[in-house]
Amino acid sequence: MKLLFVIGSLQGGGAEHVLSTVCNKLSERGHEIILVHDFRWQVYYISDKVRQIDVNTFEKDTSIGSSIQKLFNKVMNRFRSYSFFKKLIKEEKPDVVTCFLQNWAWQLALICNGRVPLVYSERNTFDWNYKSFMDKLCKRVWYHFGDVVTTMTYYDRAYLRNTYKKIYVMHNPLSYEPISIEEFNADFSRRKNILACGRLVPDKGFSKLIEAFAALANQFPDWSVDIAGQDMQNSNYSKVLKDMVKKHGLEERVHFIGFRKDMDNVMKQHSIYCLCSQHEGFPNVLSEALSMGMAVVSFDIVTGPREIIIDGLDGIIVENQDVVALTNGLRKVMLSEELRKYLGENAIRNIKRFCPDRIITNWENMFQSIVRNTNKRGK
């Protein structure tokens, strides 16, 4: 099959990581893959077997020039991209077009409608009141033009019911091969400290983790917290977090370690992973932490954790957005080395159900089904 994927960029994020894995694995299976994205922000590896197209070949830079020039280029980029994709799809004749996230959603809806099968791959939960006008427009208008919409959880599929033509659940594939029980046991005694990951934005809820740790700091003087993730441009959230850390006198115990490409190694050096987000779709980082044998403590956010964690067996789920519950959950795991080991060993065994080969087969089967149905309609 010839498959065209589009996404804004491959900067550090869960959706971007998933797409890079999907493209690489499908190309390994002999499919012709074309990937359109912004080369300026690429942090994930893409195989040489994947044909890549830089959006900067058809979009103008909107970060330079006068305010009027920037606005003009932003508006014109929408029409430039429409012309580009119309020409690309006409020349390449892909079997299926897949739009990851919401870049160029309306352009592809108008171009593909009734001509080329179109998949919209949503990478967040639908059961959340997003403030973005574009998000609302996509979900209420443009996604209805797609032949398929993928969700990341069964919860979202049930929530949507018959909203779109067809809905497939596509869990995120594991980013790393789970470590062996032998490696886990050999390194267990050297592990300590708490890890959290994600872009430094309010939705990731790091302020609640800092509050919880501040309540535990005196009881556990040998423990610390590392927060890994990009400091986003035009955001002062990192300053807010650092001010909180300073207020609690935890400058030597709460560290911001930035975006890391070697998260598997980082996770192997930590004992507890904390998911404190306000919302997620299917948090990659949670399955990654489990695959590295981390004892996980997670908020019971609407989607994600309960399709990844078996509460009490391979992780601990606490009341959503409740700092006291988060504090108690962390305390419970920090107090017991035996519990941390029990959770870690079970996590390594159970998380294998999200191995990449199994997830990529699901993507492949979906595309094949779409192509078969298209061919039937064409006869």
Side-chain angles (χ1 to χ4, degrees), residues 198-206 230 232 235 237 241:
R199 295 187 180 104
L200 299 188
V201 294
D203 286 357
K204 295 302 180 182
F206 297 129
Q230 284 183 315
M232 303 304 291
S235 171
Y237 187 58
L241 295 176

Side-chain angles (χ1 to χ4, degrees), residues 142-156:
W142 301 122
Y143 283 5
H144 290 276
F145 285 79
D147 296 83
V148 168
V149 172
T150 72
T151 69
M152 291 190 288
T153 63
Y154 290 106
Y155 176 95
D156 270 321

Side-chain angles (χ1 to χ4, degrees), residues 24-80:
N24 291 338
K25 292 291 185 180
L26 286 171
S27 68
E28 288 175 7
R29 296 189 180 192
H31 301 289
E32 184 178 351
I33 307 299
I34 305 170
L35 173 60
V36 181
H37 65 99
D38 189 332
F39 285 16
R40 292 176 301 174
W41 310 110
Q42 182 172 346
V43 299
Y44 294 118
Y45 166 76
I46 297 296
S47 168
D48 292 338
K49 295 178 181 179
V50 176
R51 178 149 52 102
Q52 301 181 70
I53 299 174
D54 189 354
V55 301
N56 292 296
T57 61
F58 62 89
E59 290 197 340
K60 300 294 185 183
D61 191 345
T62 58
S63 65
I64 58 176
S66 65
S67 298
I68 294 176
Q69 185 66 41
K70 290 177 182 177
L71 178 60
F72 177 78
N73 278 332
K74 284 182 180 178
V75 174
M76 290 306 297
N77 276 346
R78 301 306 92 195
F79 295 98
R80 293 185 187 108

